[in-house]
Amino acid sequence: MRILITGGAGYIGSHTLLDLLSADHEALVVDNFSNSSPKALDRVRELTNRNFDVAEGDVRDLSSISARIEAFKPEAVIHFAGLKSVGESTEIPLHYYDHNVNGTLALLRAMDAVGCRNIVFSSSATVYGDPEYLPYDEHHRLAPANPYGRSKLFVEEILKDWAATGGKSAVILRYFNPVGAHVSGRIGEDPWGVPNNLVPFVSQVAVGRREKLHVFGNDYDTRDGTGVRDYIHVCDLASAHVAAVSFAANHNGAEVINVGTGIGASVLEVVKAFETAAGKPVPYGIAPRRAGDIAEYYADASKAKRLLGWSAKYTLADMCSSAWKWQSMNPNGYED
């Protein structure tokens, strides 16, 4: 298939691109490189020995994205492009709505113009908000607690309305916590500035870029007092997108699907697993809870297995060992 990937140079996008090329799909990457590096794409070429087109541009620019889609004529789109920091979204909410919502609207208009009827969307478990029950299944109440989560929910609703207009398919993947890196250590997570997520922060402490980890709260009602999350290997997440593209090609309407392991790991359990992978201690200290954090959440991923034939394969140990391989081989990420 001919697949256009917005945000294809990013962390999840680059791993998905690699899997798509390995499965003999043709790809066009559209990325403005605002929080990603073109070097990730060079490394995907090296790993796959496959070439693909890259168009630098902003998905919000309707004339630009329309021209790219008209020239490439994709059979499906995987939509990663967007902003993703919960904290930042509370400071500049309109920026998040502009990028995440308006960007999707422009993309759908450009797709309609050429009759492209299949899209896989990068959503998030943040749309659920505080859990009324666990594990989260796709029927759980939706109550995102921040502009980032609300922007994802608004896009989900737009996609449902778009898919209902006939002969169209939208697969909405609600991610839990992607971590880890490709087995080669050549591509991985390279956050700009201070990492917002646990594993890249732990990685940077282990490699010596940061002094210690701050564990925000150790008095939650969990098995060791620290927050519990559903971590999923980025390569498992990439394979879910490949399966979702195939599903979309043969189904009409919108489907919302959780992508997680169904198993929660605490902050201290992640730290211990990373120490084992790196063969060294990870210094940490206990800090006060952060506003808005919840005690634990994890996925019911049974729908993904039923509809996509997909389930997670990698363990927490796999996630940490691959993350350490990436970080130790690339201590400054994609920077020389």
Side-chain angles (χ1 to χ4, degrees):
M1 293 179 65
R2 296 171 63 81
I3 302 171
L4 183 143
I5 309 170
T6 73
Y11 172 44
I12 303 168
S14 59
H15 286 79
T16 301
L17 172 64
L18 189 152
D19 271 14
L20 290 168
L21 294 172
S22 298
D24 291 328
H25 294 288
E26 295 181 59
L28 167 65
V29 171
V30 176
D31 204 304
N32 66 3
F33 302 110
S34 63
N35 56 9
S36 61
S37 171
K39 293 180 181 179
L41 301 178
D42 293 336
R43 295 188 182 187
V44 170
R45 288 189 181 94
E46 294 170 8
L47 289 168
T48 61
N49 198 29
R50 293 280 303 273
N51 202 7
F52 52 90
D53 292 328
V54 179
E56 184 171 357
D58 194 309
V59 72
R60 294 171 296 169
D61 184 339
L62 179 57
S63 62
S64 175
I65 193 65
S66 294
R68 303 301 184 186
I69 287 181
E70 173 62 35
F72 185 65
K73 292 184 170 54
E75 298 167 80
V77 171
I78 302 179
H79 184 28
F80 292 111
L83 302 179
K84 61 178 184 177
S85 169
V86 168
E88 184 183 60
S89 77
T90 65
E91 299 168 359
I92 48 172
L94 297 185
H95 200 52
Y96 270 67
Y97 294 128
D98 182 27
H99 277 261
N100 295 354
V101 179
N102 286 335
T104 304
L105 289 172
L107 178 62
L108 292 174
R109 290 188 179 107
M111 290 172 61
D112 278 346
V114 299
C116 180
R117 296 174 173 270
N118 301 313
I119 188 169
V120 176
F121 174 59
S122 165
S123 193
S124 169
T126 57
V127 299
Y128 291 121
D130 290 338
E132 293 185 339
Y133 58 85
L134 289 173
Y136 288 122
D137 60 27
E138 291 85 355
H139 300 292
H140 190 283
R141 171 189 55 87
L142 303 178
N146 51 72
Y148 165 69
R150 283 189 284 273
S151 74
K152 289 292 189 181
L153 179 56
F154 295 161
V155 171
E156 287 192 10
E157 294 302 308
I158 290 167
L159 288 171
K160 290 175 184 177
D161 289 339
W162 175 83
T165 58
K168 298 175 182 177
S169 180
V171 181
I172 298 163
L173 299 182
R174 288 179 181 159
Y175 306 167
F176 280 68
N177 295 70
V179 298
H182 188 259
V183 65
S184 67
R186 294 287 289 155
I187 59 173
E189 187 170 11
D190 184 24
W192 291 15
V194 179
N196 291 309
N197 299 321
L198 174 62
V199 171
F201 201 106
V202 170
S203 299
Q204 291 188 9
V205 171
V207 84
R209 286 175 61 180
R210 303 195 182 276
E211 181 182 358
K212 68 177 182 178
L213 170 72
H214 299 286
V215 177
F216 296 104
N218 66 345
D219 57 350
Y220 287 104
D221 185 19
T222 61
R223 49 187 172 267
D224 62 16
T226 63
V228 170
R229 301 290 183 266
D230 188 337
Y231 297 94
I232 178 172
H233 199 296
V234 67
C235 291
D236 274 333
L237 188 53
S239 69
H241 286 81
V242 177
V245 166
S246 296
F247 177 86
N250 296 290
H251 292 80
N252 291 332
E255 288 287 354
V256 176
I257 303 174
N258 285 341
V259 186
T261 65
I263 301 170
S266 74
V267 173
L268 294 184
E269 287 168 346
V270 172
V271 169
K272 183 178 179 180
F274 204 95
E275 289 177 333
T276 299
K280 62 172 70 177
V282 174
Y284 69 87
I286 305 300
R289 293 186 185 188
R290 293 180 300 190
D293 277 352
I294 61 179
E296 67 179 315
Y297 64 78
Y298 48 92
D300 177 344
S302 59
K303 186 175 181 181
K305 186 172 184 178
R306 185 173 71 254
L307 294 189
L308 305 182
W310 174 93
S311 58
K313 297 180 174 63
Y314 295 97
T315 66
L316 180 61
D318 297 327
M319 300 175 208
C320 292
S321 61
S322 64
W324 174 241
K325 183 174 184 179
W326 151 256
Q327 192 70 78
S328 58
M329 289 175 61
N330 306 272
N332 295 308
Y334 290 112
E335 293 184 13
D336 293 331

